[in-house]
Amino acid sequence: MNEILKALNNKALAGSIFCDLEKAFDSVNHDILLSKLSYYGISGKTKSLLKSYVQKRHQRALITNSLFNLNTISKWTKIKFGVPQGSILGPLLFLLYINDLSKAIKYTALPILCADDTSILITSPNSNQLHSDLNIVFAQLNKWFKSNLLFLNFDKTHFIQFNNASKCTSVTGINMKMNK
């Protein structure tokens, strides 16, 4: 809010891309996550513990047919992707996974990361520049998400432009369906 108000008070335009990731917690690649832990200086016993926490998990399915009072249980399968949802560590591990997103945006944009909710704020002096900046940043976002095996839900990813009440401008031509 502070950055938006600062831009509007300075007679600039502000817009934000609100990203929705498809199955964000379920899509975390363990190898990528572990390499990022090393990058952030997490090593030794702590890294071994986290590695065990994400890589040594298994799951199976139970199907119940109450009409015939039958249960079918699948075989145990190793979980190859994802961090546990509903756990204390799940959101933290996901934030470590996406923390380098800000380095991928080589433009004047402010990423706001909160677990799997990712927003990008962009401010520009005029409508044409805002339009151009948004398309550049959106392309950079897409590239980073793909290289980290995360995918945007384009139907739930939205752009909003913030304006003063006395001044209303429209930004058109934002390519939100890029690289689908």
Side-chain angles (χ1 to χ4, degrees):
M1 287 297 295
N2 187 46
E3 294 299 320
I4 294 167
L5 292 173
K6 186 167 48 171
L8 295 176
N9 286 336
N10 291 329
K11 308 281 189 242
L13 299 176
S16 192
I17 301 170
F18 295 93
C19 301
D20 184 81
L21 296 170
E22 293 181 358
K23 300 181 181 185
F25 281 64
D26 295 334
S27 300
V28 171
N29 180 288
H30 295 162
D31 293 331
I32 294 173
L33 173 63
L34 293 171
S35 69
K36 290 183 181 197
L37 293 178
S38 296
Y39 175 80
Y40 292 119
I42 299 170
S43 60
K45 289 182 181 181
T46 304
K47 184 177 177 185
S48 294
L49 178 65
L50 292 172
K51 180 179 180 179
S52 173
Y53 183 71
V54 297
Q55 286 190 329
K56 295 189 178 181
R57 301 179 79 82
H58 293 79
Q59 68 183 8
R60 66 179 179 174
L62 167 66
I63 301 169
T64 302
N65 182 334
S66 57
L67 183 64
F68 296 108
N69 198 24
L70 295 172
N71 291 332
T72 303
I73 299 173
S74 69
K75 293 181 182 178
W76 284 102
T77 305
K78 185 176 180 182
I79 297 173
K80 298 178 182 177
F81 293 91
V83 293
Q85 296 182 44
S87 68
I88 293 172
L89 285 178
L92 176 65
L93 291 171
F94 187 79
L95 281 173
L96 287 168
Y97 192 76
I98 66 168
N99 193 54
D100 62 328
L101 173 67
S102 59
K103 293 181 180 181
I105 302 172
K106 300 175 179 115
Y107 223 75
T108 56
L110 174 66
I112 302 159
L113 309 175
C114 182
D116 62 336
D117 293 322
T118 302
S119 302
I120 309 295
L121 177 67
I122 301 147
T123 59
S124 294
N126 61 59
S127 184
N128 288 338
Q129 187 66 45
L130 182 63
H131 175 273
S132 175
D133 293 350
L134 283 165
N135 280 311
I136 291 168
V137 168
F138 195 68
Q140 292 168 341
L141 277 173
N142 264 332
K143 183 178 178 184
W144 185 91
F145 284 137
K146 283 185 177 190
S147 68
N148 285 274
L149 305 178
L150 296 172
F151 300 95
L152 282 172
N153 179 340
F154 290 98
D155 294 328
K156 293 182 179 179
T157 296
H158 298 285
F159 168 76
I160 188 170
Q161 182 176 338
F162 304 98
N163 294 307
N164 289 329
S166 63
K167 177 180 161 186
C168 186
T169 58
S170 175
V171 175
T172 57
I174 306 305
N175 191 358
M176 296 298 277
K177 299 288 183 186
M178 177 177 282
N179 297 326
K180 192 170 181 181

